Amino acid sequence: MLKRKRMAVTILIVAAVLIALKFILFPIVREIPVTGKYQITSEDYWVTLDKADPYSRNGSKRQLQIRKWHPIECTEERPVIVASHGSCGSIDNNLSLYRELASHGYTVLAVAHPGQVASIKYENGKKSGPSRAFFKELFSLKPDGAPEKAYEVYHKWMKIRTDDLNSVMDDFVAKNGSSRFIAEGHSLGGSAAYAMARIREDVIGVIALESPFMYDIKGIENEKFIFDDSDYNVPVLSIYSDAAYPYLREWDQYRNNAKFLDSANPLYTNIHYEGIGHMGLCELSHVSPVLTAIFDNGFQKTKAADQLKKLNEDCLSWIRSLHDK
């Protein structure tokens, strides 16, 4: 009898610790309100590529989950924003931005990239997380110590991401007719967003949240990356935190970022937010300050909700200026 009581007490203690840990990591937070005039809604749909998933163990075809955020009863023509999350990010990587843009009349297609996303739900209801192969690639990266290997990984990632984004855009065009797109992304997703401006004529702008110009790396020479450093022909908004901004001229994989930062080309807009780290540029900073502090090696100095509101405001203002041209 005493043994059963002890076991019951142990189970209760473990349950209480787990519940407390959940609320510590993911406290209840208020949804960041939108400022636009339109009511918004979202729905998920799927796009299946006619090719094998490079992260699939059984050679199954690659299937993307897309979460479409859009305004209700809006007849205004607007560019479509296609959003790509960072490494092990989520389909809601910049959720408050997606909702904010939708409330101002924009459609946002947030893409979950299989194998590189924290969690994806497939059309058949099954779910999966990041691939072990992707983790191996991610943690083996040494751009300074092993640039040849880094280039191989970057090239693979850009091929995967651009194929995904091309498929999403092509599917949207097939269903809705010709469209104009703005590619947006955080970290690895921003690198893919930059790439789409090189690849597609219907991409009229790019928003990249602390991302190297990975697609522009074309090879290795004397242990250094070789870049396509030609100017972009569409407006580019690059946003940085304290995690990368001070090092743009030091890290070789960010050489194009440094060049375009110093450029007088009016197509380039660069913003630096002080007092935050890399994850402060995505929704995780709002929903889990503790995890954000762990990933960024310290708590950010700016309240997450205020910082994301500022990010949303700057992105919306930039998109409007682009749309009005």
Side-chain angles (χ1 to χ4, degrees), residues 123-196:
E123 193 168 13
N124 62 9
K126 292 184 178 180
K127 297 181 179 180
S128 70
S131 160
R132 289 183 182 178
F134 179 65
F135 272 130
K136 185 176 180 180
E137 294 164 352
L138 190 62
F139 292 113
S140 68
L141 276 180
K142 297 179 180 178
D144 294 327
E148 295 89 352
K149 178 61 178 178
Y151 169 67
E152 291 178 8
V153 173
Y154 290 163
H155 183 75
K156 176 181 178 180
W157 288 351
M158 287 296 93
K159 174 62 175 171
I160 291 171
R161 290 282 180 130
T162 56
D163 282 353
D164 287 354
L165 297 180
N166 268 321
S167 297
V168 171
M169 294 180 191
D170 288 345
D171 175 77
F172 189 87
V173 170
K175 293 174 179 175
N176 301 276
S178 61
S179 301
R180 296 183 300 163
F181 297 103
I182 295 171
E184 183 273 343
H186 174 238
S187 196
L188 177 56
S191 295
Y194 285 138
M196 300 315 294

Side-chain angles (χ1 to χ4, degrees), residues 14-221:
V14 171
V17 169
L18 291 175
I19 292 171
L21 183 61
K22 177 183 177 182
F23 281 102
I24 290 172
L25 293 178
F26 298 98
I28 298 174
V29 294
R30 291 183 178 181
E31 191 172 67
I32 296 176
V34 299
T35 64
K37 65 180 181 180
Y38 293 106
Q39 292 186 336
I40 62 175
T41 188
S42 69
E43 61 266 353
D44 289 2
Y45 68 96
W46 290 263
V47 172
T48 302
L49 282 64
D50 190 20
K51 60 183 299 183
D53 188 332
Y55 292 117
S56 172
R57 294 181 179 180
N58 58 14
S60 59
K61 288 187 175 181
R62 186 166 176 82
Q63 186 177 83
L64 312 175
Q65 179 188 8
I66 296 94
R67 183 157 294 160
K68 178 182 177 183
W69 288 92
H70 59 97
I72 297 173
E73 296 181 354
C74 173
T75 59
E76 300 176 77
E77 290 189 7
R78 292 280 191 269
V80 175
I81 291 83
V82 180
S84 183
H85 58 76
S87 300
C88 300
S90 77
I91 198 168
D92 293 329
N93 201 80
N94 285 92
L95 177 61
S96 63
L97 175 61
Y98 308 156
R99 297 181 69 255
E100 174 70 357
L101 294 178
S103 78
H104 286 272
Y106 297 91
T107 294
V108 180
L109 308 178
V111 184
H113 300 277
Q116 300 180 346
V117 68
S119 178
I120 184 172
K121 181 180 179 181
Y122 295 103
E123 193 168 13
N124 62 9
K126 292 184 178 180
K127 297 181 179 180
S128 70
S131 160
R132 289 183 182 178
F134 179 65
F135 272 130
K136 185 176 180 180
E137 294 164 352
L138 190 62
F139 292 113
S140 68
L141 276 180
K142 297 179 180 178
D144 294 327
E148 295 89 352
K149 178 61 178 178
Y151 169 67
E152 291 178 8
V153 173
Y154 290 163
H155 183 75
K156 176 181 178 180
W157 288 351
M158 287 296 93
K159 174 62 175 171
I160 291 171
R161 290 282 180 130
T162 56
D163 282 353
D164 287 354
L165 297 180
N166 268 321
S167 297
V168 171
M169 294 180 191
D170 288 345
D171 175 77
F172 189 87
V173 170
K175 293 174 179 175
N176 301 276
S178 61
S179 301
R180 296 183 300 163
F181 297 103
I182 295 171
E184 183 273 343
H186 174 238
S187 196
L188 177 56
S191 295
Y194 285 138
M196 300 315 294
R198 295 284 200 197
I199 294 171
R200 297 181 67 104
E201 292 184 356
D202 53 2
V203 172
I204 64 168
V206 174
I207 299 174
L209 309 180
E210 201 152 75
S211 311
F213 285 82
M214 209 175 279
Y215 183 80
D216 287 345
I217 300 174
K218 300 304 180 184
I220 303 292
E221 185 176 287

Side-chain angles (χ1 to χ4, degrees), residues 223-238:
E223 298 298 308
K224 295 289 186 180
F225 294 123
I226 301 171
F227 281 84
D228 171 3
D229 60 358
S230 61
D231 276 330
Y232 280 68
N233 59 8
V234 299
V236 173
L237 172 61
S238 300

